[in-house]
Amino acid sequence: MKRHPLIWLSGAQPALLERTPGDRPKYQGIGGAVLTTATLAGVSMFFALQMALRAPWYAALPISLVWFLAILNLDRWLVVSIQRGNRAWLVALPRLLMALLFGFIISTPLVLRIFQPEIETEINKIRQEQTERFQGDLTGGEVGKKIDALEKQETALLQTIASGGTVLNPENDPQIVALRERLKPLEEKRDENADAATCELTGDKCQNGSRKSGAGPRYENFRNKQREAEREIREIDRQIQDRRDEIATASKTSREQTLREANEALPGVQTQLKNLRTIQSDAQKDFEQANEENTGLLVRLDALNRASTGDFTLGLWRILLFLLFTVIECLPIFVKVLQLYGPPSTYEQLAEEDAKRSVTSGKIRAETHEQSLELEQTAQLGQSRALVEAREEAARRLGTMTVEAELRVAAAILAAWEEREIARIPQNLDEYVTSTNDPIVEPASAGFDEPAVTPPLFGPNAPGVMPYYAPAFDEEARRRAETEGSQR
């Protein structure tokens, strides 16, 4: 019987399809759908590995083949496991959901590949935006602020050195610059409190006041804050003026000292500036490299979303292609589920009857096997009983033979003893005559309730008694022989 690969993928039984040739194309179509979904899954994995990991084709190809085989077997199992029954939809529902999940996952790389030109354009825009954002963070960050301050200090020192020790503009002095920075918030605080005091006193310049004119507690509070701010401003102005005077005096009295100090401070400032610029440059290079290598699935999905947000045509075709690939991936399951709600085909009827016959024959084989086991166990039990009985019979016979042997040995010993004792009679006659007297009954006056007897001829203490013979044989055999003898 010739086997067809598509028939195997459909999960149908070739032997039954030979009897129903009309159903053969149907199952070939199901097998073809399984093969198609697995092929698309392998291609999708190939594109995903190249986009996400930048894997070369010779590394992505074997992984894609493994994924192809995995989806092939999974789809085949899903198709075979859905069978017709009273609650077939309960069995089919989780398998359909699983197929949809895999369809969504597999469809995404294919859609990204189709819209690759639009995605690349949008990725460039995303990179540019990220670069500008990074530049702003780099300039406005701590390192950028330090670089800006050091550049101003370097400029002032260079001007001092170029003028021969005379500071051309006192406003570029770092101390004066710092004092000017402190003035700004104080001036804003002074003006705010002055407006608030005016609002409380006259009702003008009101924003959040009580809008009641008159010199009340709120007016005095704002005036006190205004005076405090003005006092701090005057103090800073005095410090600025003092610094100006110091610079002017130093410029007039010690141009050489100023020049020497500037020359000494300039290398340190330039070294710090160089280190900070190096740090900034390295951070810029690392960002640019990471930004250039950011070509994975996430940034591509983001780019596709941004590109399709403002473009109706692109968004529509994106959805349609995604649904198309998803439906193709779920096609074997859809076909199998739809097949359940139609009338059963000839192949399905034959398959159901074959399954029933298989169940019946399986039960018969199980019962036959159980009966054979019982017969075998019975035979083994009978054999064991026969073996026990045979061993008991052998033990009885062995006991009888042992007792007979003991009797023969005892008889031989007794005959030899008799012959020896007869030979000794002439030499020991008096001893034997004394030992072999009949028992003598003593009179009752002797004080005994029962008559006393002399030791018998044969006894353990009699002279010339025959030695006691104790044969060494199995006690159990002796017991069995005695029991058998008593029964006989």
Side-chain angles (χ1 to χ4, degrees):
M1 181 173 54
K2 184 177 179 181
R3 296 183 178 273
H4 198 284
L6 296 181
I7 297 298
W8 179 83
L9 290 176
S10 67
Q13 303 180 37
L16 296 179
L17 280 180
E18 291 292 333
R19 298 162 57 183
T20 58
D23 293 330
R24 188 177 181 86
K26 181 192 303 181
Y27 287 94
Q28 286 180 345
I30 295 177
V34 172
L35 181 61
T36 302
T37 58
T39 303
L40 284 178
V43 174
S44 175
M45 176 59 71
F46 184 81
F47 290 153
L49 291 173
Q50 285 191 327
M51 287 185 293
L53 303 178
R54 291 188 176 182
W57 67 269
Y58 53 83
L61 185 60
I63 299 177
S64 302
L65 290 176
V66 172
W67 181 248
F68 163 78
L69 294 175
I71 297 300
L72 188 73
N73 284 278
L74 177 64
D75 285 346
R76 183 177 183 272
W77 172 78
L78 290 175
V79 169
V80 173
S81 61
I82 299 176
Q83 300 295 334
R84 187 182 298 275
N86 294 330
R87 296 187 176 182
W89 62 272
L90 289 177
V91 180
L93 182 60
R95 289 161 174 78
L96 182 60
L97 294 176
M98 184 184 298
L100 287 172
L101 174 62
F102 276 93
F104 292 153
I105 296 174
I106 293 171
S107 301
T108 300
L110 297 173
V111 174
L112 292 177
R113 187 69 177 184
I114 292 175
F115 293 106
Q116 184 172 356
E118 291 79 6
I119 291 174
E120 292 292 341
T121 302
E122 198 64 32
I123 286 178
N124 292 331
K125 295 180 181 179
I126 294 175
R127 289 174 180 171
Q128 184 63 31
E129 293 175 0
Q130 292 176 348
T131 300
E132 294 176 355
R133 191 181 306 114
F134 179 79
Q135 288 288 350
D137 295 340
L138 196 62
T139 304
E142 183 179 357
V143 176
K145 293 179 179 179
K146 289 181 179 179
I147 290 176
D148 186 62
L150 288 173
E151 286 177 346
K152 293 180 179 179
Q153 188 175 354
E154 181 188 26
T155 301
L157 292 173
L158 290 174
Q159 290 178 352
T160 301
I161 294 172
S163 63
T166 302
V167 179
L168 299 180
N169 186 5
E171 293 297 327
N172 293 330
D173 181 69
Q175 187 174 349
I176 294 178
V177 171
L179 292 172
R180 293 289 187 192
E181 292 294 330
R182 291 174 56 189
L183 274 177
K184 294 179 181 179
L186 291 174
E187 291 175 348
E188 293 176 357
K189 181 179 178 181
R190 179 197 62 190
D191 297 337
E192 290 176 358
N193 286 283
D195 292 341
T198 303
C199 174
E200 294 293 337
L201 183 63
T202 63
D204 296 333
K205 299 183 179 181
C206 291
Q207 294 180 355
N208 298 319
S210 63
R211 300 183 183 276
K212 294 180 181 180
S213 60
R218 291 174 57 87
Y219 167 76
E220 292 297 333
N221 184 31
F222 289 126
R223 285 291 295 169
N224 291 333
K225 291 181 179 180
Q226 178 186 356
R227 294 189 189 99
E228 180 64 21
E230 290 175 349
R231 186 188 63 78
E232 293 180 3
I233 291 172
R234 287 194 299 269
E235 179 63 23
I236 293 176
D237 288 336
R238 185 188 62 78
Q239 293 178 8
I240 292 174
Q241 187 59 42
D242 292 343
R243 180 57 183 167
R244 284 175 172 274
D245 295 340
E246 289 178 4
I247 293 174
T249 302
S251 178
K252 293 178 181 179
T253 59
S254 182
R255 296 180 59 184
E256 293 181 358
Q257 183 179 356
T258 303
L259 181 61
R260 184 172 63 254
E261 291 177 354
N263 287 323
E264 292 175 355
L266 182 62
V269 172
Q270 290 178 337
T271 301
Q272 295 181 27
L273 190 59
K274 180 180 179 181
N275 293 335
L276 292 176
R277 285 173 176 170
T278 301
I279 294 174
Q280 195 177 50
S281 177
D282 292 341
Q284 180 71 26
K285 290 179 181 178
D286 293 340
F287 170 78
E288 290 178 355
Q289 183 178 0
N291 196 21
E292 185 69 24
E293 293 177 354
N294 187 15
T295 58
L297 289 176
L298 293 180
V299 69
R300 290 179 178 275
L301 288 172
D302 186 20
L304 183 59
N305 289 332
R306 294 180 55 169
S308 59
T309 299
D311 192 335
F312 175 78
T313 304
L314 179 60
L316 177 62
W317 278 102
R318 173 194 175 185
I319 295 174
L320 292 177
L321 287 175
F322 183 80
L323 293 177
L324 173 64
F325 289 127
T326 302
V327 170
I328 293 176
E329 288 297 325
C330 302
L331 189 59
I333 308 302
F334 289 157
V335 173
K336 190 68 176 181
V337 171
L338 293 176
Q339 184 180 358
L340 297 178
Y341 294 96
S345 61
T346 305
Y347 169 81
E348 290 176 334
Q349 296 176 5
L350 291 177
E352 184 178 0
E353 294 177 359
D354 185 71
K356 291 180 180 179
R357 285 194 299 269
S358 298
V359 173
T360 303
S361 62
K363 290 181 179 179
I364 293 174
R365 285 195 299 268
E367 293 175 356
T368 304
H369 180 65
E370 185 176 357
Q371 292 174 0
S372 64
L373 288 178
E374 291 179 356
L375 293 175
E376 185 178 354
Q377 291 176 356
T378 303
Q380 291 179 354
L381 182 60
Q383 183 180 1
S384 300
R385 289 178 178 175
L387 182 61
V388 171
E389 293 175 357
R391 286 178 177 174
E392 291 179 352
E393 179 65 24
R396 287 193 294 269
R397 292 179 60 189
L398 181 61
T400 302
M401 293 171 63
T402 302
V403 172
E404 292 175 353
E406 288 177 354
L407 292 174
R408 288 194 299 269
V409 171
I413 293 173
L414 183 60
W417 175 80
E418 181 184 7
E419 183 179 355
R420 189 191 69 178
E421 293 299 322
I422 291 174
R424 290 177 59 190
I425 289 175
Q427 291 83 8
N428 302 292
L429 180 60
D430 294 335
E431 180 181 355
Y432 277 100
V433 170
T434 304
S435 301
T436 58
N437 285 334
D438 292 335
I440 299 176
V441 180
E442 295 183 359
S445 58
F448 296 96
D449 293 334
E450 293 182 359
V453 296
T454 59
L457 179 62
F458 300 105
N461 297 320
V465 71
M466 181 185 71
Y468 176 73
Y469 172 72
F473 58 89
D474 183 72
E475 184 65 26
E476 180 66 20
R478 185 202 302 270
R479 184 183 62 77
R480 292 179 180 176
E482 291 176 354
T483 303
E484 182 179 0
S486 63
Q487 291 176 353
R488 291 178 181 177

